[in-house]
Amino acid sequence: MPTALITGASRGLGAEIARQLAPTHDLLLGGRPSTDLDELATQLDGATTFSVELTDYDEVESAVETISELDVLVHNAGVGSSLETVADTPVEEWHQVLEVNLVAAAELTRLLLPALRAAQGHIVFINSGAGRRANPRWAPYAASKFALRALADALRAEEPTLRVTSVFPGRIDTDMQRDLVAIEGDDYDPSRFLKTSTVAAAVVHAVTTSADAHPEEIVLRPTGRG
């Protein structure tokens, strides 16, 4: 079976992507070492954990040395921001959000390009609606996602043997979403948000699209009818 590496796979959307890819792919489940990641690997027969801190670039480089061929790389790991105005956002937050959401994805991609080229593989970037429109108090997060879109676009032009897909979901029903809604001071209503299973299905659709087509972008918006 083809092999897929999914970052941020221990819970939420990453775990759901893993579950939906498991029937057709051998999985490398990326994430910090945790019982959640170990339990998911146990549930998904044949899955292997890829337990690294993505911003520890020496550790990442060592971890990918044994990967000689990779069919699918799904960049799902990411962090949110504190929803402050630009005037109130400290420089440390800019560094953290851009480091995790952009720089770490770029470096993991760079290190895995030989393996992806060998398989004529597919890279999927889980972006965000914030990667297409920047709203007040979302500047660091939106900036990281706009930049992630630029990374995907440049990579697509540079690597003609690879397929590169950006997925732009609206807000998703996850633990991180609950935290954001709490910061916003609203009551949490999961029906307002996309289901993880819906977004994961879009990723699987992109990955399994016939080789004669290149799914470059997928945009999903919640309807509120979930």
Side-chain angles (χ1 to χ4, degrees):
M1 286 199 297
T3 301
L5 168 57
I6 305 157
T7 68
S10 61
R11 60 179 183 162
L13 177 58
E16 184 60 27
I17 293 170
R19 292 187 188 98
Q20 293 196 24
L21 282 176
T24 54
H25 289 73
D26 292 324
L27 299 180
L28 296 171
L29 305 176
R32 295 187 183 95
S34 69
T35 56
D36 287 342
L37 195 66
D38 292 339
E39 288 174 2
L40 183 62
T42 300
Q43 294 168 15
L44 303 178
D45 187 38
T48 303
T49 58
F50 182 80
S51 302
V52 296
E53 173 55 65
L54 290 176
T55 56
D56 184 334
Y57 302 119
D58 290 336
E59 182 184 3
V60 172
E61 186 170 13
S62 297
V64 304
E65 284 179 353
T66 59
I67 303 174
S68 59
E69 193 165 318
L70 183 65
D71 299 275
V72 179
L73 171 60
V74 180
H75 286 291
N76 173 70
V79 294
S81 56
S82 61
L83 304 188
E84 298 288 351
T85 63
V86 172
D88 292 330
T89 302
V91 68
E92 293 82 7
E93 181 164 340
W94 283 98
H95 280 298
Q96 180 197 17
V97 174
L98 288 165
E99 185 79 20
V100 175
N101 291 356
L102 173 65
V103 178
E107 178 63 359
L108 180 60
T109 300
R110 184 186 72 84
L111 292 170
L112 286 171
L113 274 176
L116 287 157
R117 289 171 183 150
Q120 294 189 335
H122 195 154
I123 304 169
V124 179
F125 292 93
I126 304 300
N127 202 291
S128 167
R132 296 171 63 86
R133 176 181 176 181
N135 290 319
R137 298 181 180 270
W138 287 77
Y141 184 75
S144 72
K145 293 299 189 177
F146 268 75
L148 192 68
R149 180 183 185 181
L151 170 62
D153 290 348
L155 187 65
R156 190 181 301 116
E158 292 169 1
E159 299 288 338
T161 67
L162 305 181
R163 295 198 294 182
V164 180
T165 303
S166 288
V167 180
F168 297 91
R171 297 176 72 163
I172 308 170
D173 178 21
T174 62
D175 291 341
M176 187 170 77
Q177 196 65 243
R178 290 180 180 274
D179 293 340
L180 289 171
V181 171
I183 292 171
E184 293 170 331
D186 291 337
D187 294 328
Y188 193 82
D189 178 3
S191 69
R192 293 169 50 201
F193 309 118
L194 291 164
K195 298 175 183 176
T196 56
S197 58
T198 301
V199 182
V203 173
V204 173
H205 176 73
V207 168
T208 57
T209 295
S210 178
D212 66 312
H214 191 152
E216 295 186 354
E217 293 189 349
I218 298 173
V219 180
L220 301 171
R221 293 287 178 266
T223 63
R225 298 196 298 267

